[in-house]
């Protein structure tokens, strides 16, 4: 009785798996997983939005002040502690402090925070401000205030030259 | 056909008799909808079950027809809805009926739920009946949410983004669940496809649960405004013609209001931002769900913590599941609960206050009011109901429905 019940349960799970697995991203969706961007035209202090995997990615050319501000924050003040350097390192382990590249999706409920376009509100910490539920990010894209639990995600990226970056 | 109270029907038509002898559908209809003994003292609040059923049928009928012209593809969905509005014969009417039908379905169901709360319809022996109703409410919410995504406007897209991201708050499995909902890295074409499939499926599951809801209802029969059990034929009238007529009248009145919206202000309950095609790179300045979700959205935002907010929002529905056991009072109807009556009416005010807070950005007074209203909502169900049931002294109950009705008539 127990043995046939257990075997039956295994069978049910084995049959259920293809149905659940079917919900995962398809191969063609996964194939669209990298974007190449030329950042030459982005002036110091400016930021742009590019589309990667259907989501916005912010590329900000940070000013020396913004870098200094991001580096000066004590870790104890951060809800999700990460050093600024760890957030501006590409996959070849090269640190490029002037380039901040983050996924432009608020870690609360997925809105696109404001602060990339000139004239946008950038919040109390000079980074980004999410209009949906009021989360505020600093000049390193780290969460400082509001309901979002995590920092803006840093995607994998690699600078193949000083002006060409491949995201993903 | 001749039939009297309690006796099995005799069918004079030979074809009907032949069928009924083999498949007793006519006996069933006679028993459950013709002679079915129903309390004689219903007020108009008892119309809303029938009204909700009519709305469900209307939503399925209009939805099936709309689906024949709709294209569930991220590049084509928005324009296929506009084509339905402009080019497809009667398309505008069917879409407005469907779009406003969702709102009026929720209006009917919310009034139906209020009726249950006020007259204690959730109490023994109707707990399962009530819980099936909560299941229907959850299925309706899922269906309405997915349906709202289909036109692929800005509010469709960003509403879907916010709501699917709610699941990412669940520890460990949250991110997998979100990926399974999306079928990709963000809300995109795979999401639209699966939402369309589910939006078409769920209403039929609702029909099945409604059938169970009615089966459970017909075991002990309906509650009534006095909240006391029926004690014999003097307390009841047959369902037909008494309540078929009364329900028919209520349905017509309700449909008149509904049609006023459909024909004269079809977009009054919607959001203009949904007439802008979805843009994954720009969040609208304000993301507001449809009105029927606003109280729950306000609860979500009242808690300054992602997981906490999500738990409270789902908790607001979950608490309804255990309501029959939270209420310790033996008296069903608020007519005889002089204290609780005011609290249940205050709960209605509280839910409206939550709705107003949900409709506005979380700034200024809306923040403390939203939080207080959230606290009251849970206080009401989790503390007030169990405690008040023990403390309150209910008014004396009439000995029977017939007695109460006849006394009222004499007075």
């Amino acid at each position: 009785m127990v043995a046939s019940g257990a075997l039956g349960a295994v069978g049910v799970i084995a049959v259920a798996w293809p149905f659940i697995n079917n919900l995962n991203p398809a191969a063609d969706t996964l194939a669209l997983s990298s974007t190449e961007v030329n950042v030459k035209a982005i002036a110091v202090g400016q930021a742009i939005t590019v589309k990667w995997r259907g989501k916005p990615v912010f590329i900000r050319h940070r000013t020396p002040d913004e870098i200094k501000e991001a580096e000066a924050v004590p870790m104890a003040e951060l809800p999700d502690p990460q050093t600024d350097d760890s957030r501006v390192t590409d996959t070849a382990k090269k640190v490029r402090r002037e380039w901040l590249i983050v996924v432009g999706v608020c870690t609360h409920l997925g809105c696109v925070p404001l602060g990339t376009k000139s004239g946008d509100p950038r919040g109390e910490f000079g980074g980004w401000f999410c209009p949906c539920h009021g989360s505020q990010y600093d000049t390193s894209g780290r969460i400082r205030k509001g309901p979002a639990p995590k920092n803006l995600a840093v995607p994998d990226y690699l600078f193949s030259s000083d002006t060409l970056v491949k995201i993903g | 056909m001749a039939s009297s109270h309690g006796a099995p029907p005799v069918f004079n038509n030979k074809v009907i008799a032949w069928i009924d002898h083999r498949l007793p559908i006519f006996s069933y209809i006679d028993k459950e909808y013709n002679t079915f003994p129903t309390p004689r003292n219903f007020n108009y609040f008892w119309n809303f079950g029938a009204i909700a059923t009519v709305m469900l049928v209307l939503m399925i009928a209009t939805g099936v027809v709309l689906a024949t012209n709709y294209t569930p593809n991220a590049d084509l969905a928005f324009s296929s809805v506009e084509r339905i509005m402009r080019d497809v014969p009667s398309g505008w009417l069917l879409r407005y009926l469907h779009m406003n039908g969702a709102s009026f379905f929720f209006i009917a169901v919310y009034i139906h739920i209020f009726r249950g709360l006020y007259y204690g319809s959730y109490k023994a022996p109707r707990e399962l009946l009530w819980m099936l109703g909560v299941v229907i409410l959850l299925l309706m919410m899922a269906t309405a949410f997915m349906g709202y995504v289909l036109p692929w406007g800005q509010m469709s897209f960003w509403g879907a983004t916010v709501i699917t991201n709610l699941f990412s708050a669940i520890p460990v499995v949250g991110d997998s669940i979100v990926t399974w909902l999306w079928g990709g890295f963000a809300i995109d074409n795979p999401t639209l496809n699966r939402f369309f499939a589910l939006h078409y499926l769920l209403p039929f599951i609702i029909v099945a649960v409604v059938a169970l809801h009615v089966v459970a209802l017909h075991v002990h029969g309906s509650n009534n405004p006095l909240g006391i059990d029926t004690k014999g034929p003097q307390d009841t009238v047959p369902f037909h013609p008494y309540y078929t007529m009364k329900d028919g009248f209520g349905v017509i009145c309700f449909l008149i209001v509904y049609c006023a919206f459909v024909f004269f202000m079809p977009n009054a309950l919607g959001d203009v931002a949904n007439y802008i095609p979805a843009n994954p790179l720009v969040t609208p300045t304000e993301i507001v769900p449809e009105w029927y979700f606003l109280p729950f959205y306000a609860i979500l935002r009242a808690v300054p913590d992602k997981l906490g907010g999500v738990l409270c929002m789902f908790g607001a529905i979950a608490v309804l599941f255990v309501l029959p056991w939270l209420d310790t009072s033996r008296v069903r109807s608020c007519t005889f609960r002089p204290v609780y009556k005011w609290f249940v009416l205050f709960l209605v005010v509280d839910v409206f206050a939550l709705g107003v807070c949900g409709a506005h950005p979380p700034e200024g007074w809306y923040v403390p009011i939203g939080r207080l209203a959230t606290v009251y909502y849970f206080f009401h169900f989790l503390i007030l109901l169990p405690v008040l049931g023990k403390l309150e002294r209910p008014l004396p109950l009439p000995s029977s429905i017939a007695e109460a009705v006849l006394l009222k008539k004499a007075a």
Side-chain angles (χ1 to χ4, degrees):
Chain A
M1 245 341 244
V2 175
S4 48
L7 193 67
V10 170
V12 168
I13 292 166
V15 174
W17 174 243
F19 287 86
I20 296 168
N21 190 31
N22 184 258
L23 297 172
N24 279 316
D28 61 332
T29 311
L30 290 168
L32 300 168
S33 55
S34 69
T35 304
E36 207 163 44
V37 187
N38 190 334
V39 294
K40 201 176 168 183
I42 310 172
V44 175
Q46 245 186 2
I48 63 160
T49 305
V50 296
K51 199 171 163 185
W52 172 67
R53 293 181 172 181
K55 294 185 218 189
V57 166
F58 300 150
I59 305 179
R60 170 162 283 170
H61 197 168
R62 299 194 294 179
T63 64
D65 280 351
E66 287 170 346
I67 298 171
K68 226 183 286 165
E69 219 181 296
E71 286 177 337
V73 184
M75 285 298 113
E77 270 183 33
L78 297 171
D80 178 15
Q82 273 186 319
T83 61
D84 186 53
D85 274 6
S86 72
R87 296 177 55 79
V88 290
T89 309
D90 72 8
T91 46
K93 302 281 172 228
K94 189 160 166 36
V95 179
R96 288 175 192 266
R97 294 195 174 84
E98 67 278 25
W99 294 109
L100 175 68
I101 302 179
V102 290
V103 177
V105 171
C106 181
T107 56
H108 181 223
L109 295 174
C111 297
V112 178
L114 300 173
T116 303
K117 270 190 254 170
S118 60
D120 273 358
R122 288 167 68 163
E124 288 169 39
F125 302 92
W128 286 273
F129 170 75
C130 185
C132 294
H133 307 94
S135 291
Q136 312 209 19
Y137 297 89
D138 67 10
T139 55
S140 189
R142 292 173 298 200
I143 180 68
R144 299 296 291 277
K145 200 176 173 184
K150 289 196 190 123
N151 301 333
L152 291 179
V154 177
D156 283 346
Y157 61 87
L158 180 66
F159 278 89
S160 50
S161 72
D162 279 347
T163 55
L164 211 59
V165 60
K166 190 178 150 199
I167 300 167
Chain B
M1 186 187 84
S3 160
S4 66
H5 201 84
V10 179
F11 298 106
N12 298 328
N13 182 312
K14 285 210 171 111
V15 177
I16 289 179
W18 187 91
I19 293 173
D20 200 74
H21 187 60
R22 287 151 183 85
L23 179 71
I25 42 171
F26 296 102
S27 295
Y28 172 81
I29 292 170
D30 178 71
K31 178 168 173 281
E32 305 295 345
Y33 295 100
N34 182 29
T35 58
F36 190 72
T38 314
R40 62 193 281 178
N41 60 334
F42 280 179
N43 59 31
Y44 280 106
F45 276 119
W46 264 261
N47 279 158
F48 287 89
I51 291 171
T53 312
V54 168
M55 291 314 294
L56 175 61
V57 172
L58 198 134
M59 290 304 281
I60 291 177
T62 52
V64 168
V65 178
L66 285 171
T68 60
N69 279 300
Y70 170 77
T71 314
N73 177 294
D75 296 326
L76 306 170
F78 187 88
S79 46
S80 78
V81 173
E82 285 309 303
R83 183 176 160 270
I84 289 170
M85 294 300 291
R86 294 154 198 245
D87 297 344
V88 175
S90 301
W92 63 272
L93 177 58
L94 289 161
R95 179 177 175 250
Y96 279 154
L97 283 170
H98 197 73
M99 193 173 120
N100 288 281
S103 284
F104 279 80
F105 193 7
F106 271 99
I107 290 173
V109 163
Y110 283 153
I111 296 173
H112 189 62
I113 292 171
F114 167 74
R115 196 283 317 273
L117 280 175
Y118 189 87
Y119 295 106
S121 303
Y122 49 86
K123 293 187 194 186
R126 298 185 182 85
E127 301 96 323
L128 277 180
L129 170 63
W130 170 263
M131 290 165 86
L132 285 166
V134 181
V135 172
I136 294 169
L137 176 64
L138 277 174
L139 287 169
M140 275 177 67
M141 287 176 151
T143 309
F145 160 67
M146 288 192 268
Y148 193 64
V149 175
L150 303 185
W152 211 240
Q154 268 294 66
M155 214 44 90
S156 298
F157 184 93
W158 289 100
T161 300
V162 168
I163 301 300
T164 52
N165 267 300
L166 293 178
F167 294 91
S168 72
I170 301 167
V172 190
V173 292
D175 287 325
S176 301
I177 292 176
V178 174
T179 308
W180 288 339
L181 288 169
W182 288 349
F185 304 107
I187 297 272
D188 211 331
N189 195 48
T191 327
L192 180 60
N193 271 283
R194 57 192 60 181
F195 278 18
F196 178 59
L198 292 173
H199 181 71
Y200 205 112
L201 167 72
L202 287 183
F204 297 98
I205 296 183
I206 294 178
V207 169
V209 184
V210 167
L212 291 176
H213 192 68
V214 172
V215 169
L217 173 70
H218 282 209
V219 177
H220 294 282
S222 298
N223 184 31
N224 63 80
L226 294 171
I228 56 176
D229 291 329
T230 53
K231 294 195 174 77
Q234 74 279 9
D235 287 347
T236 65
V237 289
F239 189 80
H240 179 73
Y242 290 94
Y243 289 121
T244 43
M245 286 303 121
K246 187 158 179 163
D247 279 346
F249 177 69
V251 165
I252 288 168
C253 291
F254 188 83
L255 291 181
I256 288 171
V257 181
Y258 165 55
C259 286
F261 272 82
V262 169
F263 289 101
F264 297 106
M265 38 188 165
N267 291 301
L269 298 168
D271 193 305
V272 286
N274 224 28
Y275 285 105
I276 303 167
N279 181 351
L281 298 186
V282 180
T283 305
T285 43
E286 217 190 304
I287 298 180
V288 189
E290 289 285 87
W291 70 266
Y292 37 83
F293 292 136
L294 289 174
F296 303 100
Y297 193 58
I299 291 175
L300 168 75
R301 294 199 298 195
V303 185
D305 173 78
K306 184 169 164 178
L307 182 59
V310 172
L311 288 177
C312 282
M313 191 182 76
F314 286 112
I317 305 275
V319 78
L320 296 177
F321 268 107
V322 288
L323 176 64
W325 295 275
L326 289 172
D327 189 345
T328 51
S329 173
R330 285 175 168 193
V331 174
R332 291 198 192 104
S333 172
C334 273
T335 311
F336 303 104
R337 297 190 64 184
V339 183
Y340 182 60
K341 176 201 251 176
W342 297 106
F343 282 103
V344 83
L345 293 175
F346 185 72
L347 181 71
V348 175
V349 175
D350 184 71
V351 170
F352 271 98
L354 281 171
V356 172
C357 291
H360 291 88
E363 297 162 353
W365 281 103
Y366 293 115
V367 178
I369 293 173
R371 287 187 181 158
L372 279 175
T374 302
V375 168
Y376 180 76
Y377 185 92
F378 287 101
F379 167 81
H380 180 98
F381 287 108
L382 297 176
I383 297 169
L384 184 93
L385 261 174
V387 173
L388 195 64
K390 305 262 186 217
L391 300 179
E392 184 183 41
R393 179 189 287 242
L395 302 176
L397 295 176
S399 60
S400 76
I401 294 172
E403 186 206 78
V405 171
L406 296 175
L407 272 179
K408 207 170 161 189
K409 215 173 252 173

